Amino acid sequence: DVKVTQSSRYLVKRTGEKVFLECVQDMDHENMFWYRQDPGLGLRLIYFSYDVKMKEKGDIPEGYSVSREKKERFSLILESASTNQTSMYLCASSSLVGARQETQYFGPGTRLLVL
Amino acid sequence: AQSVTQPDIHITVSEGASLELRCNYSYGATPYLFWYVQSPGQGLQLLLKYFSGDTLVQGIKGFEAEFKRSQSSFNLRKPSVHWSDAAEYFCAVGAGYGQNFVFGPGTRLSVLP
């Protein structure tokens, strides 16, 4: 079974802190993704990566950065956390089969509260 | 660009009743279609997917979905709902290289005993 793990299930941080969310997948997937999920807004893509050291902005990258130094690990960084970044953060990974992006597999999510 | 709509924000059904959750997509070519389920406080779990071939696909937990190209729809069905099916359901459309999934807004399912 594909396993996507996230470093924390719950996190409480203060405004202005630097926050690291880590995601690890064990299926040698090329692609990794970070989403945030808010009530009424569904899933919104923050950043994604198709390869090591490669990153692309998603729909809402402002206030976030990412790092992918190893294939299995994709980190989301909040440089200076703000209260409007309180949310559920979901990591996902997928493989590429030819030109088709395969199923995305999700981690359990990190619920972040910024005070 | 792809887009996905799920017209029903919230649906309530009685346990044992049948269920249909609607999903409509917009995409110029043949899409890759997915249904995911999310229990409270959890990540998303894949229920089923359609890439090509038979337009009626079977998934886990007794769910099935039918791809109808003429209606740009991929509705999810279950003949008899169980209380444990109460969750949020997301339809998603994917495409080729360089194009990401687009998720619908989700439909929350409540099940009455």
Side-chain angles (χ1 to χ4, degrees), chain A residues 5 9 11 19 23 38 40 44 56 59 61-62 68 70-71 73 80 84 92 105 109 111-112:
Chain A
T5 56
R9 293 298 307 275
L11 214 49
V19 182
C23 175
D38 301 286
R44 293 180 291 168
E56 294 284 345
D59 300 318
E62 297 77 21
R68 193 167 181 200
K70 294 185 177 181
K71 192 174 185 180
R73 190 179 298 268
S80 177
N84 63 12
Y105 293 92
R111 191 167 291 282
L112 173 66

Side-chain angles (χ1 to χ4, degrees), chain A residues 11-40:
Chain A
L11 214 49
V12 180
K13 295 292 180 180
R14 298 216 172 268
T15 302
E17 278 193 79
K18 191 168 186 175
V19 182
F20 292 87
L21 303 182
E22 297 243 298
C23 175
V24 177
Q25 51 96 1
D26 67 355
M27 283 302 293
D28 202 35
H29 284 169
E30 296 86 355
N31 312 314
M32 296 189 76
F33 308 83
W34 275 107
Y35 296 88
R36 65 176 283 176
Q37 183 180 23
D38 301 286

Side-chain angles (χ1 to χ4, degrees), chain B residues 4-112:
Chain B
V4 179
T5 55
Q6 293 179 247
D8 304 305
I9 296 172
H10 184 205
I11 284 182
T12 300
V13 300
S14 296
E15 191 167 19
S18 64
L19 172 70
E20 182 168 32
L21 301 182
R22 296 182 290 164
C23 171
N24 293 96
Y25 68 90
S26 172
Y27 184 61
T30 300
Y32 310 124
L33 296 159
F34 306 81
W35 273 100
Y36 288 85
V37 61
Q38 184 181 34
S39 298
Q42 303 298 314
L44 276 68
Q45 180 185 19
L46 178 71
L47 279 176
L48 47 79
K49 61 187 178 185
Y50 171 78
F51 286 160
S52 64
D54 193 345
T55 56
L56 184 65
V57 293
Q58 303 297 321
I60 62 171
K61 306 186 182 193
F63 286 92
E64 67 177 25
E66 186 170 15
F67 170 57
K68 292 186 177 180
R69 184 188 301 276
S70 61
Q71 298 176 18
S72 297
S73 69
F74 189 56
N75 294 347
L76 182 71
R77 300 194 293 247
K78 187 169 184 178
S80 178
V81 169
H82 187 262
W83 63 266
S84 60
D85 294 324
E88 186 138 26
Y89 292 80
F90 293 92
C91 181
V93 59
Y97 182 78
Q99 294 177 293
N100 284 309
F101 279 37
V102 173
F103 286 87
T107 297
R108 186 161 63 91
L109 174 66
S110 297
V111 180
L112 298 175

